[in-house]
Amino acid sequence: MSNSARLALLGPHGLDAEGIADFVTALKAACEAGDVAAVILRLAATDERGLTARVKSVAPIVQERGAALVVACPGFTGDLATVAIRGGADGIHIDKPRDLKDLRGRLRDGRILGAGGLETKHGAMEAGEAGIDYLMFGGLYPDGVAPEAETVRARAAWWAEIFETPCIAVAAAADEIAPLAATGAEFVGLESGLWMQDSGAVERAQRAVREIEA
């Protein structure tokens, strides 16, 4: 693995069918601008068929550019793993997770299980022990509030130093990118407000990450 963190792009919370076209346009430009490892698609809840259709419309675009698509849908009460599998996604992301061991057992064939929204170190360690593929620190809450940047940085540095499970440290503002890359986190996440309106932001983020490595 390179010493340089790779980028993960976070979609906006509550993405619905009407917003998919604009999201895809921005996503294509962003993936062409930098080394994007993963995209976290945060969907608005609807029925299983509707969610699967949205995933199908995004998955090939992400995967053709060498990135993984991970699906999140906090308000969905059905089976998100089935949605991801039927939609052709690479995995699912769960915030404030429960039953991770059950999900781990069902997500086979190399599919990804990621977790975030964990407020304590103990919760993070429990998630790691459940066999997740990555842990995410930071990221906007659904109400648009960002966690404290220093807390995200400190938690990512703690995790990266001690644990082998990769982590994503999420930047909500451009000036957070370099400090998060310096933590040793394997991935730096970019909130949708950083990249959807300006594809050049991905290139700038890539440069900031590589400067840390140098």
Side-chain angles (χ1 to χ4, degrees):
M1 180 180 291
S2 168
N3 290 329
S4 179
R6 300 186 68 195
L7 300 179
L9 304 181
L10 280 67
H13 280 290
L15 187 65
D16 57 20
E18 288 72 25
I20 286 288
D22 288 342
F23 176 75
V24 165
T25 298
L27 185 61
K28 289 178 179 177
C31 287
E32 290 168 3
D35 177 25
V36 175
V39 175
I40 299 178
L41 184 65
R42 300 188 291 198
L43 297 172
T46 185
D47 58 38
E48 187 173 302
R49 178 176 294 183
L51 289 177
T52 302
R54 291 181 217 166
V55 174
K56 284 183 176 180
S57 69
V58 176
I61 294 160
V62 174
Q63 294 159 348
E64 286 167 6
R65 287 159 176 79
L69 180 67
V70 183
V71 180
C73 187
F76 181 55
T77 58
D79 187 351
L80 190 60
T82 296
V83 168
I85 292 167
R86 290 180 177 173
D90 297 283
I92 64 174
H93 175 92
I94 304 295
D95 279 319
K96 298 182 179 178
R98 298 179 181 178
D99 301 324
L100 282 175
K101 289 184 178 180
D102 176 65
L103 286 169
R104 178 71 286 167
R106 295 180 56 222
L107 286 168
R108 301 175 181 175
D109 303 322
R111 282 194 166 84
I112 297 165
L113 176 60
L118 297 159
E119 305 291 345
T120 67
K121 289 183 177 181
H122 178 71
M125 289 187 288
E126 283 189 332
E129 291 168 358
I132 58 172
D133 294 295
Y134 71 83
L135 192 64
M136 189 171 83
F137 296 109
L140 295 181
Y141 301 115
D143 62 5
V145 175
E148 290 291 333
E150 180 55 30
T151 300
V152 175
R153 190 205 64 76
R155 194 60 57 84
W158 161 74
W159 184 269
E161 181 179 1
I162 299 173
F163 301 98
E164 293 185 2
T165 301
C167 72
I168 303 174
V170 181
D175 61 2
E176 297 171 12
I177 294 170
L180 291 176
T183 64
E186 288 82 0
F187 304 94
V188 173
L190 303 182
E191 270 294 347
S192 59
L194 287 176
W195 64 270
M196 280 194 66
Q197 305 301 322
D198 177 13
S199 61
V202 173
E203 185 176 356
R204 292 191 295 274
Q206 188 80 76
R207 191 180 309 122
V209 166
R210 287 175 175 165
E211 285 173 356
I212 293 297
E213 181 184 16

